[in-house]
Amino acid sequence: MKAETRKKDFNETKRKFIVSLKKRPHNIALVMMAITFIVYSFNLTKISNTTAIVNKQPMGLCSFVTMLFSMLAFVCFLNAYPKRQPVNVPMMLLMYLMQILVIVADVIYIGKINEGLQTIQITSARICIPQAKTMLIIHIVLSVISVITIALIPTMGKMLSKIDTSVEIAGNDDVGNIELSED
């Protein structure tokens, strides 16, 4: 009986999760943006060490722009989808602009890494540079996936609405007339 109860509980939890996604399909994009931001934040030490070693002109600014606009795009996304209100279009446009600037800043940073690798002497401190470059490529890919996911929110909402999440109630197949007694 325990396995059967656990299976029913799991199915009910899964159903509730899908129902919540049907109500707010933008949460999928929100989670993707959060993952993208967390990946960059956890690898910020590699970025700062690379900036210190390579030391080309706009590298520090690019890392600052990436961190700042990632957070601000997250806030704009939250303001673009207020509860029980239509989408706030200016916030959506601002969020898209910030995401594009984040991607451009990452591309510029990678270009400066490539430029700096030609002039840097081989040292043990140089090991963080390829790791930072790989992380930035991953961040760019995740940012592009985030932007695509945000653009597909209406489509995901339509697809999720087609999933049947109704609950079958066993027992009362013949509801019939309900008589109310007056006291």
Side-chain angles (χ1 to χ4, degrees):
M1 283 288 198
K2 285 185 177 184
E4 196 173 298
T5 311
R6 279 189 231 148
K7 185 176 179 182
K8 285 182 183 179
D9 289 344
F10 176 73
N11 287 339
E12 182 62 19
T13 304
K14 185 171 73 171
R15 186 191 71 78
K16 287 180 180 179
F17 178 72
I18 292 173
V19 167
S20 70
L21 283 180
K22 285 171 84 170
K23 289 180 182 177
R24 295 178 196 90
H26 62 274
N27 284 347
I28 297 168
L30 183 68
V31 168
M32 190 63 214
M33 283 182 69
I35 289 170
T36 304
F37 177 71
I38 289 170
V39 165
Y40 188 81
S41 297
F42 282 171
N43 292 295
L44 203 53
T45 303
K46 293 174 188 168
I47 297 296
S48 62
N49 289 342
T50 302
T51 304
I53 293 168
V54 176
N55 201 18
K56 292 289 180 181
Q57 185 54 30
M59 289 179 76
L61 180 64
C62 287
S63 62
F64 175 72
V65 164
T66 301
M67 191 68 178
L68 178 67
F69 284 168
S70 293
M71 284 189 281
L72 290 177
F74 195 75
V75 171
C76 285
F77 183 83
L78 290 174
N79 287 327
Y81 287 97
K83 285 189 176 184
R84 297 181 185 95
Q85 293 178 8
V87 176
N88 189 347
V89 177
M91 282 294 173
M92 276 302 279
L93 294 175
L94 193 58
M95 186 269 318
Y96 276 121
L97 177 67
M98 287 183 193
Q99 288 285 55
I100 290 169
L101 288 174
V102 164
I103 293 168
V104 168
D106 283 348
V107 169
I108 291 171
Y109 196 94
I110 290 173
K112 291 301 173 178
I113 288 175
N114 291 336
E115 186 180 311
L117 283 175
Q118 298 170 356
T119 59
I120 296 175
Q121 298 174 3
I122 298 175
T123 62
S124 61
R126 191 176 161 179
I127 195 163
C128 67
I129 296 173
Q131 293 172 347
K133 188 175 176 182
T134 303
M135 190 280 304
L136 284 171
I137 292 170
I138 291 169
H139 186 255
I140 290 171
V141 170
L142 289 175
S143 296
V144 169
I145 291 171
S146 294
V147 169
I148 291 170
T149 307
I150 293 165
L152 293 176
I153 288 173
T155 306
M156 288 187 294
K158 289 177 184 174
M159 289 173 42
L160 286 170
S161 67
K162 293 180 180 180
I163 298 174
D164 182 27
T165 54
S166 59
V167 178
E168 267 188 46
I169 300 174
N172 291 344
D173 293 333
D174 183 30
V175 176
N177 292 334
I178 300 173
E179 296 181 26
L180 298 174
S181 62
E182 294 183 34
D183 292 330

